[in-house]
Amino acid sequence: MPASTTTAPVVLTAKALLLDMDGTIVNSDAVVERCWRDWAVSHGLDPQEAMKVVHGRQGYATMAVLLPDRPMEINHAENAVMLARETADTDGVIPVAGAPEFMASIDGLPHALVTSADAALATARMTAAALPMPAIRITAESVQASKPDPEGFLMGAAALGVDPADCIVFEDSAAGITAGRAAGMRVIGVGPRAATHAPTAHVPDLTALHVTTTADGSITLTVRAAA
């Protein structure tokens, strides 16, 4: 009979945490799927294929991937319409499991929101999920380039005054994980989308994390092993 094995928890330390929103601390999949499936169908695209590239990017960047020959100004115009629709639709927006407790545990610690949503959409979804809005936030208006470009995460680190190598990113999507890695940061992948993109560590949701601080102010994240 084979010997049983146990997996030790993963322990990571950081000076600051950079949090994606959708799929990471807020579960907005119901809204995203409603809006983007409708958009895909209206443009003669396969909704299933479209959903493979939607998560993590700003809307105009998603449109550019799906309709590569279309002028970018049309993408920006349609993205403005999409953002308005998504902001108005909060039906089904809830916190990711463990998010309220996780956000409470990092209150007062260096952290920032780094999201592909614009400020209005971020506010609507964080409010709908009853989560506290971080004081420092990098939104769509803050950057010139969408994830998977690392600009947003580098801006978040700079705003917190922390070296990128001392930051840990929380992300759910391929684009976000790629952006975090490109910024020179470690990445904790959250949820099923993250599992196949080789983050530094992976959790099914935020209940698997325990946050403590050390005497020098460093943040210690213990990622509990799966049962």
Side-chain angles (χ1 to χ4, degrees):
M1 187 171 181
S4 62
T5 60
T6 58
T7 303
V10 175
V11 179
L12 302 172
T13 60
K15 296 293 186 184
L17 308 178
L18 301 177
L19 315 176
D20 173 54
M21 182 181 70
D22 293 304
T24 301
I25 56 176
V26 173
N27 182 346
S28 56
D29 282 4
V31 180
V32 172
E33 295 216 0
R34 276 197 297 274
C35 294
W36 280 96
R37 284 178 182 277
D38 286 351
W39 180 88
V41 169
S42 72
H43 289 80
L45 300 172
D46 180 347
Q48 290 295 113
E49 292 302 309
M51 292 310 301
K52 293 178 182 179
V53 298
V54 162
H55 298 287
R57 293 177 173 84
Q58 291 190 43
Y60 76 86
T62 294
M63 293 171 185
V65 171
L66 294 170
L67 297 172
D69 297 325
R70 193 168 76 159
M72 189 59 78
E73 58 265 27
I74 298 178
N75 296 336
H76 282 288
E78 287 195 7
N79 186 46
V81 175
M82 178 68 77
L83 283 169
R85 178 181 174 185
E86 289 189 277
T87 301
D89 183 356
T90 57
D91 187 24
V93 175
I94 58 174
V96 167
E101 296 81 4
F102 173 72
M103 295 301 288
S105 73
I106 65 172
D107 183 33
L109 302 178
H111 70 282
L113 189 73
V114 182
T115 176
S116 293
D118 67 2
L121 181 56
T123 298
R125 287 186 175 164
M126 292 291 282
T127 300
L131 295 175
M133 178 67 83
I136 295 176
R137 43 200 178 267
I138 308 299
T139 61
E141 300 95 333
S142 309
V143 299
Q144 297 298 311
S146 170
K147 299 171 186 175
D149 191 281
E151 181 187 7
F153 288 124
L154 292 172
M155 288 184 70
L160 292 166
V162 177
D163 188 277
D166 290 325
C167 295
I168 290 178
V169 164
F170 286 75
E171 267 287 359
D172 73 301
S173 69
I177 292 170
T178 299
R181 281 212 214 91
M185 301 173 183
R186 292 157 292 160
V187 181
I188 292 180
V190 181
R193 282 190 292 271
T196 58
H197 300 292
T200 309
H202 176 259
V203 293
D205 56 47
L206 296 171
T207 63
L209 286 167
H210 181 62
V211 181
T212 56
T213 55
T214 60
D216 68 354
S218 294
I219 302 165
T220 299
L221 298 169
T222 302
V223 181
R224 290 192 286 274

